[in-house]
Amino acid sequence: MGATQIIFWILSIVAVFSAIMVITRKNPVYSVLYLIITFFAISGHYVLMNAQFLAIVNIIVYAGAILVLFLFVLMLMNLNKESEPKKNKFMLWASAFAGGLLLYVLLAAVHTAHIENVKGIHVGNIGLVSELGKALFTTYVVPFEITSILFLSAMVGAVVIGKKD
Amino acid sequence: MLLSLFTDWAFLLEKLTLVVAVVSIGLVVAMYSTWAERKVAGALQDRPGPNRAGWFGLLQPFADAIKLFSKEDIIPSKSNKILFVLGPGLAMLAAVMTSAVIPWGDKIVIAGREITLQVSDLDLGVLYVFAVVAMGVYGVMIGGWASNNKFSLLAAIRGASQNISYELAMGLSLIALLFLTGTLSLKGIVVGQQENGWNILYQPLGFLLFLVCAFAECNRTPFDLPEAENELNFGYHQEYSSMKLGFYLFAEYINMFMSSVLMATLYFGGYDIPFFNEAASTLNPTILGLLGFGALMTKTVLFILFFMWVRWTIPRFRYDQLMDLGWKKLLPLALINMLITAVVVLVKEYGWPW
C-alpha cells in the first residue's frame, strides 16, 4: 500500500464519516461545520486525481463563501429546540419521497457506469490550471461565455431581489 | 530502494525543518510586532511606550506572554464549549497557513544539498492564498457564535461580512497582476519581477487596492469594526480570556505579517535585491539566498511599520462607510484596473487591431 493509497483511504473515511454527521446532527451549525470538513476531504480527492484547480476552487467557493453564508443565516436565526417549528407530517413524507427518488437516480447511475472507464489516480493533466485554462478558452469558449452570461443574469437578479422598493 | 527511502526521509526532514523555521519566524515577528506597535504608538503620541521590561522594553512581549498564560482561563457556562475552544485555534491555523507557499528566498546550499527556501512551490500559489484567506473567516465566526453573547455574534458577523466584501476587490486587483505575470506560482511571480522590474511599476492602482483590502482583511484600523469597543463592548473575543484571547490577538499580528510578506512578494520583488542580479553570479549561493531573505524581511518590516503608522493616524470608519468603500469604490476601481490592464496586455501581444 503506497502513500497515495493511504491518503485515499483516510480522505474517504473522513468524507463519508463527516457526510453522515451532516445529516444526523440536531444542531444545524454542527451540520454546516461537518459539511466544511466534507468539502475539504473531497478537495483532497480532487488533488489525488490531479485536478488541482477544481480542488482549490471547491474550497474557495464552497467552503470559503457559500458555507459562510449558511453559517450567517443559521447563527442569526439561532435555531434550537424551543424555537423549532412543528413538523408537518405531509412535508416529512414528501421529503422522504424526494430523497428516495434521488437515491434511485444515483443508484441507477452507479449501476450503469462503466467501471473500466474510471481513470486512475494521478492520470491526465487536464485538471492543472494552465491546461484547464487553455481548454476553456479555446475548445470550450462558447459554453464558457454562455455560462458567464448566466452568472451575470443571476447577479442582476440577486441585486433586484435584494433592493428594497 | 533503500536509497530512495533515504532521499525521501531527507526530503521530509528538510521540509519539516523549513516549516518549523517559517512558523517560528512568523511567531517571533508577530511577538515583536506587539512591542513595535506600542513603541510606534508611543512615538506618534509623544510618549516613550514600553520601557520597563528589559533594554528599550524589549522583554515586554515575554512579560505579556507570561501574563496571558497565567491568567485564569474562563469558559462561559452557557457557551458551546467545543467550538469555543476551536475558534482561536482555527484563527491561528488560518493565519500561519499562508506561509507554506511564500518564497522566503532563492536557495541555500547546506552540505552539498540544495535547499529551496520555500515550503511548497504550488502551481496555484495565489489561489491557495485566497483559499486560506477565505478560511480566516471561520475562526472569527465560530468563536463569536460559540460565546453565546449578542455582542460577540454581532461583531463576528460584521467581521465575516467585511472579510467577504473585501475579498472580492482583493481578488480583482490580483487578477490584473496575474495578467502581467502569466503565472499563479508565487516563485514564478518573483522570478518574473527579477527580469522585468517590480510589479508596483506596472500596477500602482492594483497595489493600492490590494493594500486597502489587506487592511480590511486583517481587521486593522481604520477597518477594525469587529473590535469596535464603543459599539460592541470588546468585539468577537469579548468572552475570551487567558491564552485563548492571546491567540486571537496574536492571529491578527500574524495576519499582518503574512499580508506584508505577500505585498512585498507580489508587488515589490519578493526576495529580489534591485540592481544586484548581475553581481550575484559570482557570490556563494548560500550567502545570496540569505541576503535575499534579508531583503524580503526588510521590505516586510517596512510594511508592518506602515500598518502601524496608519493605525495610530486614521480614525475608524463607520460600518456603512466601510461597505460603501468596498462595494461602490474599490470594486469598480478594481474592475476598471483589470480592464485597462487586459487591453494593454492584448495590444502589446497582438498589436493595435484597427
Side-chain angles (χ1 to χ4, degrees):
Chain A
M1 205 152 81
T4 320
Q5 231 169 347
I6 297 172
I7 295 171
F8 171 80
W9 280 109
I10 293 175
L11 284 175
S12 305
I13 291 167
V14 170
V16 171
F17 170 77
S18 47
I20 290 171
M21 293 303 257
V22 171
I23 50 172
T24 51
R25 292 306 88 192
K26 285 267 187 253
N27 189 339
V29 172
Y30 279 127
S31 293
V32 171
L33 294 178
Y34 275 112
L35 197 56
I36 296 168
I37 301 176
T38 316
F39 280 137
F40 266 91
I42 289 171
S43 276
H45 280 301
Y46 287 148
V47 172
L48 284 186
M49 289 186 279
N50 252 10
Q52 299 179 355
F53 184 73
L54 196 57
I56 208 85
V57 165
N58 186 36
I59 288 181
I60 294 177
V61 174
Y62 281 93
I66 293 179
L67 286 186
V68 172
L69 292 182
F70 274 40
L71 269 187
F72 254 51
V73 175
L74 290 176
M75 285 178 174
L76 276 177
M77 291 186 2
N78 209 8
L79 295 172
N80 46 33
K81 279 240 166 62
E82 294 90 64
S83 66
E84 204 171 348
K86 246 188 136 65
K87 281 193 184 96
N88 190 340
K89 263 280 168 46
F90 172 71
M91 287 298 280
L92 217 64
W93 282 108
S95 51
F97 182 66
L101 277 182
L102 182 65
L103 181 71
Y104 180 69
V105 171
L106 285 177
L107 276 181
V110 170
H111 186 66
T112 53
H114 296 283
I115 209 78
E116 63 271 17
N117 285 356
V118 176
K119 293 251 168 61
I121 44 182
H122 285 315
V123 175
N125 53 6
I126 189 66
L128 303 182
V129 181
S130 49
E131 299 299 318
L132 192 70
K134 271 178 203 143
L136 274 184
F137 284 100
T138 52
T139 325
Y140 301 106
V141 69
V142 176
F144 182 79
E145 292 297 332
I146 291 174
T147 317
S148 41
I149 290 174
L150 197 66
F151 273 124
L152 188 67
S153 55
M155 258 160 66
V156 172
V159 170
V160 169
I161 291 171
K163 228 175 170 178
K164 280 187 209 125
D165 43 5
Chain B
M1 176 63 204
L2 204 65
L3 191 74
S4 80
L5 201 66
F6 175 71
T7 49
D8 265 11
W9 280 110
F11 177 77
L12 205 64
L13 197 68
E14 176 196 319
K15 291 301 179 196
L16 205 63
T17 321
L18 212 57
V19 169
V20 171
V22 163
V23 171
S24 357
I25 288 171
L27 293 181
V28 169
V29 170
M31 224 167 109
Y32 272 93
S33 299
T34 62
W35 171 81
E37 173 117 76
R38 293 158 78 173
K39 275 290 184 196
V40 169
L44 287 175
Q45 295 169 352
D46 210 9
R47 57 188 173 81
N51 63 354
R52 287 286 173 262
W55 192 58
F56 278 120
L58 272 174
L59 292 178
Q60 189 66 40
F62 292 96
D64 285 341
I66 292 169
K67 185 194 86 172
L68 278 174
F69 265 118
S70 54
K71 274 191 165 180
E72 188 188 353
D73 189 15
I74 300 167
I75 297 181
S77 56
K78 281 284 180 76
S79 70
N80 189 324
K81 294 193 180 51
I82 302 167
L83 295 184
F84 189 78
V85 178
L86 191 69
L90 273 181
M92 200 72 172
L93 183 73
V96 293
M97 257 166 72
T98 319
S99 60
V101 290
I102 289 170
W104 297 91
D106 198 8
K107 55 191 164 220
I108 56 174
V109 179
I110 293 177
R113 193 185 164 81
E114 214 170 70
I115 295 173
T116 318
L117 290 180
Q118 185 179 17
V119 177
S120 163
D121 184 16
L122 280 185
D123 277 339
L124 22 79
V126 176
L127 285 179
Y128 171 88
V129 171
F130 263 96
V132 174
V133 168
M135 287 300 105
V137 181
Y138 284 113
V140 174
M141 276 197 90
I142 289 174
W145 180 76
S147 306
N148 199 8
N149 174 327
K150 284 193 184 94
F151 290 112
S152 301
L153 181 64
L154 277 178
I157 284 178
R158 264 189 182 192
S161 45
Q162 171 183 333
N163 279 17
I164 293 176
S165 307
Y166 278 77
E167 252 169 52
L168 287 173
M170 196 182 211
L172 285 176
S173 68
L174 267 186
I175 285 175
L177 179 78
L178 297 178
F179 284 156
L180 293 175
T181 59
T183 174
L184 284 167
S185 145
L186 287 171
K187 178 101 178 176
I189 290 175
V190 172
V191 171
Q193 290 181 81
Q194 278 179 332
E195 284 156 12
N196 309 325
W198 293 358
N199 283 331
I200 178 75
L201 301 174
Y202 310 110
Q203 281 289 322
L205 180 61
F207 168 70
L208 204 68
L209 295 171
F210 190 88
L211 184 76
V212 175
C213 295
F215 273 91
E217 291 290 330
C218 295
N219 294 335
R220 291 284 298 183
T221 324
F223 305 111
D224 63 340
L225 285 137
E227 292 161 34
E229 63 272 12
N230 48 358
E231 298 162 26
L232 294 166
N233 288 349
F234 196 45
Y236 56 88
H237 42 50
Q238 182 175 19
E239 299 288 346
Y240 283 89
S241 59
S242 184
M243 207 52 206
K244 290 202 200 71
L245 173 67
F247 261 37
Y248 268 129
L249 301 181
F250 219 60
E252 183 186 319
Y253 282 94
I254 296 178
N255 273 331
M256 196 166 80
F257 172 58
M258 289 303 166
S259 33
S260 300
V261 174
L262 258 183
M263 279 190 280
T265 307
L266 290 172
Y267 290 97
F268 285 83
Y271 55 80
D272 175 43
I273 308 170
F275 312 114
F276 199 64
N277 292 322
E278 292 75 17
S281 49
T282 54
L283 264 173
N284 185 339
T286 307
I287 295 176
L288 194 65
L290 292 178
L291 273 179
F293 176 68
L296 179 63
M297 278 299 141
T298 315
K299 293 168 192 171
T300 306
V301 168
L302 287 178
F303 272 118
I304 292 180
L305 288 179
F306 182 69
F307 266 95
M308 288 166 184
W309 181 25
V310 169
R311 171 167 181 179
W312 297 104
T313 313
I314 299 177
R316 181 182 298 138
F317 276 90
R318 223 169 50 219
Y319 195 68
D320 60 321
Q321 290 172 330
L322 171 96
M323 284 296 161
D324 238 38
L325 181 72
W327 288 96
K328 293 187 185 158
K329 304 209 170 63
L330 295 187
L331 198 65
L333 267 178
L335 277 171
I336 291 168
N337 184 41
M338 192 176 97
L339 211 65
I340 293 173
T341 315
V343 169
V344 170
V345 167
L346 277 181
V347 167
K348 252 181 89 177
E349 196 144 331
Y350 299 109
W352 196 244
W354 56 86

